[in-house]
Amino acid sequence: MTPLELRAVFAGYARGKDVLRDVSLTFAEGRVAALLGENGSGKSTLLKVLAGLLPPSRGTVLLRGRPISEVPRREAARQLGYLPQGFEPFFPATALDVVLLGRTPFLGAFSTPSRRDIAIARAALEEVDAAGLEERDVRSLSGGERQRVYLARALAGEPRVLLLDEPTASLDPRHRFLVLDVLRRLATRGVCCVFSTHEVDLAARTADDAVLLARGAVLGAGPVRQSVTERSISELFGVAACVTPLADGTPLVTLGAPPAVRDGGRG
Amino acid sequence: MRSPGRFLALLALLALGAVVASLLVGSVPIAPTDALAALAGDGDEATRTIVRDLRLPRALLGLLVGGALALSGAALQALLGNPLADPYLLGVSGGAACGTLAAVVLGLGTAGLFGSFALPLASLAGALGAVLLVGLGASVGGRLDRGRLLLSGVVVNALASAVLLFLLSVGDASDTRGFVFWMLGSLAGATGDAVVSLAVYSAVGLVVLLPLARAFDALTLGEETAFTLGVSVERAKRIAYVAASLLAAAAVAHAGIIGFVGLLVPHLVRRLTYGHRALLAGSFLAGGVLLVLSDLLARTLFSPNEISIGAVTALLGAPAFLVLLRRRA
């Protein structure tokens, strides 16, 4: 069954001012989808609608075929993981405590995390190369370290659908690749991953599918090899784009390359 | 580390110790054996009066007022996602003061027995009025907005100050002198009835707030993340708002405006334990301990004169808080 589907969705934050306009999309099991678009194009809004955080003003969001508004909160929380953009922590908590919060949908009001919960949380930290941060106070972590701890928090819920808002922002190159590797691994386990990013090159090499958003409408969607083209990317971002297919067919995207250089140059 | 049982048991012992100490220590020191006899209804009458009618209600009221204020602060900090929130932030203190002073100016305070019931009721009514006003200002489309809640509280407190000044200027000075003492906080008026009334408020507060501990934990990651973790965010916020306001209002009604307990205690407890279950229960106990000991200081430091307990908590709390803030950086 399709994990997540949008049917003719309009959504926004104020009455009569829709940010997303007539968006219909399906996200498949075991695939990684990248949301691409300029600032303010509606990527975060789309992720919020998919997470059930922002009810659409028109249209429906289906989680495994059921309207998400009709799925009990706890049940939805067990299926769906969501990582918002950078969040500044105000309260003291160790990284492990934070990751354990990812087990919330599986815990009763008065039960404490079991050994299994703790093992899952530790494995999640391991997965994002943050095992060494376990006992550190999250407030003392660097932006990139915190981002990985929060990602581990989302992983600890063992979601079938994982929504991530700019998961690679503020990460160094090594951890950027590591996080994208995590998404690929999750996809091989059947998880449906959707992430937004400005890093078109990384997205094109990691994702199976791309969704191109411009001013709240879908400009194009589908397998990366078809949707990420010089024309679509330069139209989307308003900068020159150079797309070279690699040996395995994945596109290598370079932005801002002047056409003169691409054509062989003038000296 | 993750089981708060031992931590809470230690705090409960401390609370018991503080109550016992406040039974024995004072302008008339009482030996433990005499105190026990007095509690059992034996011994000479003077000792019985001091222990059973004066010190015991006062110690128990202190325990409950401190507990209610600290519990209220802990819930409010969870609700606002702000470790620097204080129970008085939402207009409770200003509203309670207005209600009480209005009753005093209208002459209700001097009406003997009636007065001892009327003043706490007027205080509670004033506090709830202010809380409603703050809530009204902070609701956006049926949701409580965290940012607006803070601003709305500040504005309502400012309004309350204006009303207070107006009432003080039109009131009779001989009537309002007692009010000023009340405003600084005191446990001197402790009675068995007050203890029972506050015990009920505290019990309800604990019963309502403790099941929300897991939701409060999730809320430390922000409202959106908490929602996606399956938490009924709006429900948790609304319950926390009502419970925190009621607890603070009930405490103020019986003991006046005692500052710093609601701010300082949750902050302190948070350093010693993790998770809102331990934080809520621990704050309740630690707040009680702090207030009973502060009251002990208030009535013994310049004995036989009594200083205001609000002055003691502020004198202890402000420097302690500054030290905590410096260490945190």
Side-chain angles (χ1 to χ4, degrees):
Chain A
M1 190 179 291
T2 309
L4 210 48
E5 189 178 346
L6 296 179
R7 283 189 190 157
V9 162
F10 292 73
Y13 303 94
R15 195 178 293 256
K17 283 186 191 163
D18 284 329
V19 176
L20 293 179
R21 292 191 311 271
D22 198 15
V23 174
S24 294
L25 291 165
T26 35
F27 296 96
E29 228 162 62
R31 286 181 82 85
V32 177
L35 302 182
L36 301 175
E38 290 188 291
N39 296 132
S41 58
K43 298 188 298 294
S44 296
T45 307
L46 179 56
L47 285 168
K48 279 177 196 172
V49 169
L50 288 170
L53 278 165
L54 182 66
S57 53
R58 258 194 288 165
T60 37
V61 185
L62 299 173
L63 178 65
R64 298 199 162 269
R66 275 164 78 191
I68 197 164
S69 53
E70 289 171 19
V71 181
R73 288 283 344 122
R74 223 167 128 81
E75 198 187 318
R78 287 178 182 194
Q79 301 208 19
L80 209 140
Y82 170 73
L83 178 68
Q85 272 183 49
F87 172 79
E88 188 80 23
F90 289 108
F91 294 97
T94 66
L96 183 63
D97 288 328
V98 165
V99 177
L100 272 171
L101 290 178
R103 300 300 295 162
T104 302
F106 303 92
L107 297 175
F110 288 101
S111 63
T112 39
S114 67
R115 242 172 236 196
R116 188 170 164 267
D117 292 317
I118 293 170
I120 290 171
R122 289 218 163 100
L125 276 168
E126 190 98 27
E127 187 138 31
V128 298
D129 189 31
L133 306 177
E134 199 179 296
E135 290 303 322
R136 290 269 303 276
D137 188 325
V138 278
R139 295 172 306 168
S140 72
L141 299 178
S142 77
E145 289 172 327
R146 200 181 289 154
Q147 178 75 0
R148 282 183 283 136
V149 169
Y150 285 152
L151 175 59
R153 194 275 305 153
L155 297 179
E158 301 182 315
R160 300 303 299 161
V161 176
L162 186 56
L163 309 168
L164 312 116
D165 203 348
E166 303 209 16
T168 56
S170 76
L171 293 184
D172 56 46
R174 184 166 72 85
H175 288 112
R176 213 169 279 185
F177 285 116
L178 181 132
V179 163
L180 295 173
D181 271 350
V182 169
L183 299 189
R184 290 255 40 107
R185 270 205 301 281
L186 287 171
T188 59
R189 286 180 233 153
V191 176
C192 162
C193 300
V194 183
F195 74 106
S196 67
T197 184
H198 289 286
E199 294 165 291
V200 188
D201 51 333
L202 279 176
R205 271 182 284 161
T206 311
D208 301 298
D209 303 308
V211 174
L212 279 48
L213 275 177
R215 286 177 301 278
V218 176
L219 211 66
V224 164
R225 287 172 208 188
Q226 283 140 47
S227 53
V228 175
T229 61
E230 293 190 350
R231 196 168 157 192
S232 70
I233 294 301
S234 57
E235 194 184 328
L236 188 66
F237 290 106
V239 294
C242 171
V243 176
T244 321
L246 294 174
D248 63 350
T250 50
L252 175 70
V253 183
T254 319
L255 292 185
V261 175
R262 265 200 293 137
D263 295 339
R266 291 181 189 154
Chain B
M1 173 192 89
R2 269 160 227 294
S3 150
R6 198 174 297 175
F7 172 70
L8 294 179
L10 185 74
L11 279 177
L13 267 179
L14 274 176
L16 186 69
V19 170
V20 169
S22 73
L23 290 184
L24 306 181
V25 181
S27 50
V28 182
I30 290 172
T33 45
D34 293 343
L36 263 180
L39 282 178
D42 300 327
D44 68 282
E45 204 185 318
T47 311
R48 266 209 318 263
T49 309
I50 291 176
V51 172
R52 285 173 52 155
D53 300 342
L54 295 175
R55 288 189 188 166
L56 184 63
R58 191 165 173 152
L60 292 181
L61 189 69
L63 207 61
L64 291 166
V65 167
L69 286 175
L71 179 62
S72 167
L76 208 64
Q77 290 170 4
L79 157 71
L80 295 173
N82 188 339
L84 296 179
D86 179 281
Y88 297 150
L89 211 66
L90 297 188
V92 169
S93 53
C98 283
T100 308
L101 187 56
V104 169
V105 169
L106 290 173
L108 298 177
T110 49
L113 181 68
F114 175 67
S116 65
F117 282 95
L119 288 190
L121 276 180
S123 161
L124 198 64
L128 294 183
V131 164
L132 273 178
L133 209 58
V134 171
L136 213 64
S139 304
V140 191
R143 296 180 54 235
L144 275 180
D145 185 272
R146 283 177 165 187
R148 284 182 200 222
L149 210 49
L150 277 175
L151 286 176
S152 179
V154 168
V155 169
V156 169
N157 265 334
L159 178 70
S161 303
V163 174
L164 215 58
L165 286 175
F166 169 75
L167 287 173
L168 276 175
S169 62
V170 299
D172 191 325
S174 61
D175 288 342
T176 55
R177 194 172 308 128
F179 167 78
V180 173
F181 190 74
W182 170 85
M183 217 169 101
L184 293 172
S186 170
L187 296 173
T191 60
D193 289 346
V195 170
V196 170
S197 139
L198 207 53
V200 171
Y201 275 106
S202 300
V204 170
L206 281 169
V207 165
V208 165
L209 289 172
L210 279 175
L212 289 178
R214 176 122 21 241
F216 291 157
D217 285 342
L219 271 170
T220 60
L221 294 176
E223 291 188 34
E224 291 190 340
T225 303
F227 178 88
T228 59
L229 287 171
V231 170
S232 308
V233 172
E234 283 310 311
R235 182 176 157 270
K237 275 161 58 188
R238 233 173 278 144
I239 293 176
Y241 176 62
V242 173
S245 306
L246 270 179
L247 282 166
V252 170
H254 288 297
I257 298 168
I258 301 173
F260 272 98
V261 179
L263 175 64
L264 187 70
V265 171
H267 220 64
L268 215 75
V269 173
R270 210 177 270 122
R271 301 179 150 249
L272 303 172
T273 180
Y274 171 77
H276 274 86
R277 192 152 46 124
L279 179 64
L280 293 170
S283 293
F284 182 77
L285 291 169
V289 171
L290 179 70
L291 210 63
V292 172
L293 294 182
S294 296
D295 187 48
L296 199 61
L297 286 178
R299 61 193 173 81
T300 53
L301 272 185
F302 298 100
S303 171
N305 285 328
E306 215 178 295
I307 52 173
S308 135
I309 188 171
V312 175
T313 58
L315 281 174
L316 292 177
F321 196 72
L322 282 178
V323 170
L324 284 182
L325 276 183
R326 297 271 318 156
R327 274 223 214 122
R328 148 91 177 82

